[in-house]
Amino acid sequence: MHLLEQVGGWIESLIAAIGYPGIVLAMAIENIFPPIPSEAVLPFAGALSAKGELSFWGVIAAGTAGSLIGAVVLYAIGYVAREAGVRRIVEVYGKYVFISERDLDRSAAWFERYGEAIIFFGRLIPLVRSIISVPAGYTRMNMVRFLVYTTLGTTLWNLILTYLGRVLGENWADISELMAPYENGVLILMGLAVGVFIGWRGVRWRRQRTES
């Protein structure tokens, strides 16, 4: 928690110092390193827009640009390393960015279960919104469609966070308390959905073996 608080302070200083480029950089890093939450970036920038220090739509544009940069980096890693290579990377270095193979399995299961549409909806799901770009890369998802879905989903998420920060103003840090029930609920549903999907695949596999 102390580390995340330090990161949050650094992000605030960065945005306050250089404005929109700071938002782009912070959101790119947030996408590549999921432990850094977007809730520490956009609500603060939204609060600054309420005071007239930044433009509301400028914040959203900068946030979306940064998110796209981060998403493309992860897509490229998946594309080049393929699934086996990604798993080796996560096994060796995942602990340093708080990503486990289980997280990767969840994202891969969601991508396999829901197809390319999860690239859009996944941007609204904690942790998945970053990692989902990796299976999109190693499955060779069409880059144009990947960018379109990512842009749409990211813009919607950024709009929500920036607006909440603008409304809360000086109390923008309370966003974590407001988002906690939503994020916990989504994580529970995600876990249940993945469990059901894996169970269904197991039943189908056994049935196919029996028939053959």
Side-chain angles (χ1 to χ4, degrees):
M1 180 62 71
H2 181 62
L3 175 61
L4 292 180
E5 289 177 354
Q6 288 183 325
V7 171
W10 173 78
I11 290 173
E12 291 178 31
S13 300
L14 179 68
I15 295 174
I18 61 176
Y20 302 115
I23 297 173
V24 174
L25 178 60
M27 290 300 292
I29 295 174
E30 180 266 339
N31 271 262
I32 299 172
F33 301 101
I36 301 176
S38 51
E39 290 90 334
V41 181
L42 295 176
F44 174 68
L48 293 181
S49 75
K51 296 191 293 186
E53 297 181 24
L54 294 173
S55 162
F56 177 78
W57 292 107
V59 169
I60 294 172
T64 300
S67 296
L68 280 173
I69 291 172
V72 168
V73 169
L74 292 179
Y75 176 95
I77 291 174
Y79 192 94
V80 173
R82 302 303 295 264
E83 182 174 2
V86 169
R87 291 191 177 279
R88 285 196 295 270
I89 293 172
V90 171
E91 183 180 354
V92 176
Y93 301 105
K95 59 185 177 181
Y96 299 112
V97 291
F98 306 101
I99 298 176
S100 66
E101 285 192 81
R102 184 179 178 185
D103 297 324
L104 185 61
D105 289 339
R106 286 177 176 174
S107 296
W110 274 61
F111 188 84
E112 186 174 355
R113 175 68 178 83
Y114 298 106
E116 296 179 353
I118 194 61
I119 299 299
F120 170 77
F121 293 106
R123 305 307 300 186
L124 308 176
I125 302 173
L127 187 62
V128 172
R129 58 177 170 258
S130 294
I131 303 179
I132 198 64
S133 300
V134 177
Y138 65 63
T139 58
R140 300 300 201 262
M141 177 180 176
N142 178 273
M143 173 60 85
V144 174
R145 291 199 298 273
F146 172 77
L147 291 176
V148 170
Y149 286 135
T150 300
T151 300
L152 293 175
T154 296
T155 300
L156 177 58
W157 179 249
N158 293 348
L159 179 61
I160 293 171
L161 290 183
T162 304
Y163 178 75
L164 288 175
R166 184 179 179 90
V167 171
L168 291 172
E170 295 294 336
N171 298 316
W172 68 269
D174 294 341
I175 191 74
S176 297
E177 297 179 9
L178 293 175
M179 298 298 294
Y182 161 77
E183 295 189 344
N184 291 336
V186 168
L187 287 174
I188 292 172
L189 290 175
M190 180 176 69
L192 290 174
V194 171
V196 169
F197 174 66
I198 293 175
W200 173 74
R201 286 292 299 273
V203 170
R204 191 177 71 169
W205 177 77
R206 286 194 295 270
R207 184 180 300 168
Q208 289 175 343
R209 285 196 61 184
T210 301
E211 292 176 353
S212 61

